[in-house]
Amino acid sequence: MKNLTNSFVFLVHWPSAGSFGLNTDILATNIINLSVVLGVLIFFGKGLLSDLLANRKQRIWNTIRNSEELCVGALEQLEKARARLGKVEIDADLYRVTEYSEIEQQELGLFFFTFKTLEKFEKSKNETILVEQQKAINEVQERVCKQVLQRVLGTLNSCLTNELHLRTISANIGILGEMKKIRH
């Protein structure tokens, strides 16, 4: 190994007058070294790099294609969802109209039921009032008749004497006898 190192050192110190050697000037050798490294990389890495780039390109195209397919699928689902939404909105409007109509019919039925019930109560009230009025009239008539009869009896008892009483009875018997003759 020592021989190898010595030969390397020997090459570095070799005089450059027409002979082969290593140039230790970094600026002068840098361009050459870079071009050699790039040449080696391009020559040996060209296939690997082109394969990597081709794979990357293919993955990008596949991703774009998948994204487009997903986008188309999402648009189809969006259209289906919009159609379902439209149908649901129509159904909701129909349901709303139907329910409002049904509520209005129930309100109208309730109104008529209440109106008929009130009419029945009014008729019953009027009949009750008429019955009560008739009772009150009958009671008043009965009291008035009783009072008139009591006055008449009082007046008759105070004005009639036995003689007037016998004459009235005899006159009435005579009238009845005449009526009996007329009938036969």
Side-chain angles (χ1 to χ4, degrees):
M1 175 110 159
K2 209 173 195 182
N3 278 340
L4 185 61
T5 307
N6 285 339
S7 64
F8 209 50
V9 170
F10 174 72
L11 285 176
V12 171
H13 291 294
W14 200 355
S16 61
S19 65
F20 179 76
L22 289 179
N23 188 356
T24 58
D25 183 16
I26 294 177
L27 293 177
T29 59
N30 200 13
I31 294 175
I32 295 170
N33 289 337
L34 285 176
S35 62
V36 168
V37 168
L38 284 177
V40 168
L41 283 177
I42 288 174
F43 181 75
F44 290 111
K46 181 178 176 184
L48 178 67
L49 188 60
S50 65
D51 287 344
L52 288 174
L53 289 176
N55 287 340
R56 179 72 177 147
K57 182 180 177 183
Q58 188 62 39
R59 280 187 295 188
I60 290 172
W61 280 113
N62 287 341
T63 304
I64 291 172
R65 199 172 314 119
N66 288 340
S67 297
E68 287 176 351
E69 289 173 2
L70 289 174
C71 182
V72 168
L75 288 174
E76 289 174 358
Q77 288 179 353
L78 178 64
E79 289 302 317
K80 288 177 183 177
R82 283 183 180 162
R84 283 192 308 253
L85 176 64
K87 185 177 183 265
V88 167
E89 285 177 345
I90 290 171
D91 290 345
D93 288 341
L94 181 63
Y95 180 75
R96 191 176 307 121
V97 167
T98 302
E99 288 301 312
Y100 284 146
S101 175
E102 200 171 295
I103 288 171
E104 287 176 2
Q105 288 176 354
Q106 289 176 354
E107 286 177 353
L108 190 60
L110 183 60
F111 174 75
F112 283 125
F113 176 75
T114 305
F115 182 73
K116 292 291 183 184
T117 304
L118 287 176
E119 277 184 342
K120 287 178 184 177
F121 284 146
E122 185 71 24
K123 186 177 178 182
S124 176
K125 179 189 80 163
N126 289 338
E127 289 174 357
T128 304
I129 289 173
L130 287 174
V131 167
E132 292 299 319
Q133 282 178 344
Q134 192 61 40
K135 282 182 182 178
I137 290 171
N138 289 342
E139 285 180 14
V140 169
Q141 286 177 346
E142 189 177 314
R143 286 183 186 166
V144 168
C145 286
K146 282 182 181 178
Q147 288 177 355
V148 168
L149 282 175
Q150 286 175 354
R151 282 187 188 170
V152 168
L153 283 175
T155 305
L156 283 176
N157 285 337
S158 65
C159 295
L160 282 178
T161 59
N162 281 337
E163 184 184 323
L164 186 58
H165 191 61
L166 287 175
R167 266 193 317 183
T168 305
I169 290 173
S170 297
N172 283 336
I173 289 173
I175 293 172
L176 286 173
E178 291 292 321
M179 284 175 68
K180 192 176 185 183
K181 288 181 187 174
I182 294 174
R183 274 192 185 173
H184 285 344

